[in-house]
Amino acid sequence: MSPTRISRWIVLTDLDGTLLDHHNYQAEAAKESLSLLAQHNIPCIFNTSKTFAEVVQLRQQLGNSSPFVCENGSALFIAKNNAETAGFSTDQADYNSEIIATPYADLLRFLFQARQQGFSFRSFNDMPASEVAAMTGLDEQQAWLAKQRCASEPLLWQGDDHSLQQFRQLIRQHKLQLIQGGRFYHLMGDADKASAIGFFRNYYAHQYQLAPSQIGVIALGDGENDRNMLEQSDQPVVIPAACGQPLTLTHSQTITATSPGPAGWNQALLAWLEKHY
């Protein structure tokens, strides 16, 4: 898509390790670019492995009332009536939602059967909030929010590489997928973070009375589970991982930020905004 055809832009961003610091989960270093996005009326859509409960709390802290995507593309949420105050509600009833992947109860049923077959792992459903907190660095209240899931399940693999390959085969047979995130594998149905791109192109095209091709998508992410979202965007921004090498994309317009986490997020978007606005 040629940039000259784009009339309005939207941002889709990963959170952990991207907008949020990998170690302390803070976004302070990105405040300047977040403020400028709001001034230019550019929606900043969180597209994350986090749960609804986690995201609405974070949106309140950051003053973000845009739609959002949870659990690696499994569920989308838009405040009803597009009301500013509704955008900060913690009640799912105040949002129009779409669960586009396998429901949580079906995932737990699959994991129970897999464990009966001898596969070794430990998932969030197996862990009390205190253990999730210890594994993630979240406090116990945040860990409890992370356990409130609707369509995906993080797990720690405890078997060897050979049994992991057998587990992946079983997953494919059940038309599920296993995505590797920053800390955990994520079991989920047939969706990913890229699922949100077409949806929000159409949503904002309707909002702005434009053709979907006139809605440009900037995507920011740092992990393998962000790859499809980045590749399918108009302007991918790779945030260097806190550890290891940054993602390498095939997209010709790829920008790689100079720093990990929110500092890199801020730098890349400030440079982009200066060029376009």
Side-chain angles (χ1 to χ4, degrees):
M1 181 184 295
S2 169
T4 59
R5 295 175 54 193
I6 292 173
S7 299
R8 298 291 295 265
W9 288 89
I10 62 175
V11 170
L12 269 70
T13 182
D14 173 51
L15 293 180
D16 292 345
T18 300
L19 177 57
L20 303 182
D21 184 271
H22 179 78
H23 301 289
N24 63 21
Y25 299 100
Q26 298 299 307
E28 189 66 32
K31 286 290 182 69
E32 184 179 0
S33 50
L34 283 169
S35 177
L36 283 173
L37 289 175
Q39 287 178 35
H40 291 296
N41 196 29
I42 299 173
C44 184
I45 299 163
F46 296 166
N47 193 2
T48 176
S49 61
K50 290 184 179 295
T51 65
F52 170 90
E54 291 177 285
V55 175
V56 293
Q57 183 180 73
L58 180 66
R59 289 165 76 252
Q60 288 178 334
Q61 294 169 2
L62 297 178
N64 180 296
S65 60
S66 296
F68 56 99
V69 188
C70 296
E71 300 184 41
N72 283 313
S74 296
L76 297 88
F77 296 89
I78 302 172
K80 290 180 178 177
N81 303 320
N82 219 25
E84 190 72 17
T85 52
F88 297 110
S89 174
T90 59
D91 187 347
Q92 283 199 28
D94 290 331
Y95 297 84
N96 292 314
S97 63
E98 185 172 353
I99 308 300
I100 57 178
T102 304
Y104 189 57
D106 293 345
L107 297 178
L108 295 185
R109 193 174 298 112
F110 167 82
L111 288 175
F112 174 80
Q113 294 168 351
R115 188 173 275 125
Q116 295 297 106
Q117 294 180 41
F119 292 108
S120 181
F121 52 84
R122 190 160 177 80
S123 79
F124 270 25
N125 189 61
D126 302 318
M127 302 178 188
S130 58
E131 185 176 352
V132 173
M135 299 296 298
T136 61
L138 300 168
D139 63 36
E140 283 205 29
Q141 173 61 21
Q142 292 170 324
W144 183 83
L145 297 176
K147 284 170 56 67
Q148 311 307 304
R149 314 197 70 82
C150 62
S152 70
E153 177 71 342
L155 57 89
L156 291 171
W157 186 252
Q158 297 178 320
D160 58 22
D161 289 343
H162 177 67
S163 61
L164 178 59
Q165 294 309 311
Q166 293 179 313
F167 185 57
R168 286 187 181 278
Q169 290 177 7
L170 182 65
I171 284 169
R172 287 192 290 270
Q173 290 170 11
H174 284 78
K175 298 182 179 179
L176 301 173
Q177 59 177 329
L178 192 68
I179 297 174
Q180 187 166 5
R183 287 179 170 86
F184 299 94
Y185 289 99
H186 296 263
L187 178 69
M188 55 186 289
D190 187 19
D192 65 16
K193 290 185 177 184
S195 306
I197 289 181
F199 180 91
F200 284 114
R201 274 198 208 280
N202 291 325
Y203 175 78
Y204 281 103
H206 178 75
Q207 293 289 107
Y208 299 141
Q209 297 185 320
L210 297 169
S213 62
Q214 292 176 280
I215 304 297
V217 177
I218 310 167
L220 302 97
D222 74 316
E224 189 61 39
N225 60 337
D226 300 312
R227 180 180 294 279
N228 287 345
M229 173 183 72
L230 292 165
E231 291 280 17
Q232 294 181 36
S233 70
D234 300 288
Q235 178 56 75
V237 179
V238 173
I239 305 298
C243 303
Q245 296 298 311
L247 288 175
T248 301
L249 305 181
T250 62
H251 198 300
S252 63
Q253 301 299 314
T254 301
I255 295 170
T256 300
T258 57
S259 304
W265 197 96
N266 192 63
Q267 168 267 321
L269 277 177
L270 286 179
W272 185 89
L273 285 162
E274 183 176 357
K275 181 178 178 181
H276 289 82
Y277 289 85

